[in-house]
Amino acid sequence: MTGRRGGRPLVPAYLSTGGVTRPSRPHLERLSVLTGARIPAPAGLPAAQLALLDALDEGSLTVVEAAALLRLPVSAIRVLAAELIDRDLVLSRAPIPPAGRFDPDLLKRVADGLRALKHT
């Protein structure tokens, strides 16, 4: 997981996931939020999973943020996170959806109402 000067990791990503290529939880998205469950990690966890748990000790991270922090591909973080979620060591939630498009008519009515209050 530590990188060389050229930026390539010393350990290929597929080794950090134990050769697993697909997460057990396909709903994990790039912007899914991961949070450590704050319980002690069991002995024998692979180094990459321990590194992810350590990164989550400080708070919550999205899958993309964890990938950048650990210098691993997003696909590898999805596999690692899914395994930790299966062991109840990490919690996840869906990304917050973008706000819906505002209704210009509603904004106009609110502005008109505020103006009416100002003049009373």
Side-chain angles (χ1 to χ4, degrees), residues 21 79 91:
T21 58
V79 169
L91 308 170

Side-chain angles (χ1 to χ4, degrees), residues 28 34 52 63 76-86 90:
L28 277 176
L34 305 173
L52 180 54
V63 170
I77 295 297
R78 289 179 64 220
V79 169
L80 295 171
E83 290 174 0
L84 292 171
I85 292 166
D86 291 344
V90 168

Side-chain angles (χ1 to χ4, degrees), residues 58-92:
E58 300 297 319
S60 299
L61 293 172
T62 63
V63 170
V64 171
E65 291 170 328
L69 186 65
L70 298 178
R71 301 182 76 171
L72 286 171
V74 170
S75 58
I77 295 297
R78 289 179 64 220
V79 169
L80 295 171
E83 290 174 0
L84 292 171
I85 292 166
D86 291 344
R87 292 174 160 225
D88 295 325
L89 297 172
V90 168
L91 308 170
S92 74

Side-chain angles (χ1 to χ4, degrees), residues 12-36:
Y14 66 87
L15 290 179
S16 66
T17 63
V20 178
T21 58
R22 297 200 191 284
S24 62
R25 296 174 178 263
H27 69 276
L28 277 176
E29 300 176 30
R30 297 170 62 87
L31 294 177
S32 293
V33 179
L34 305 173
T35 306

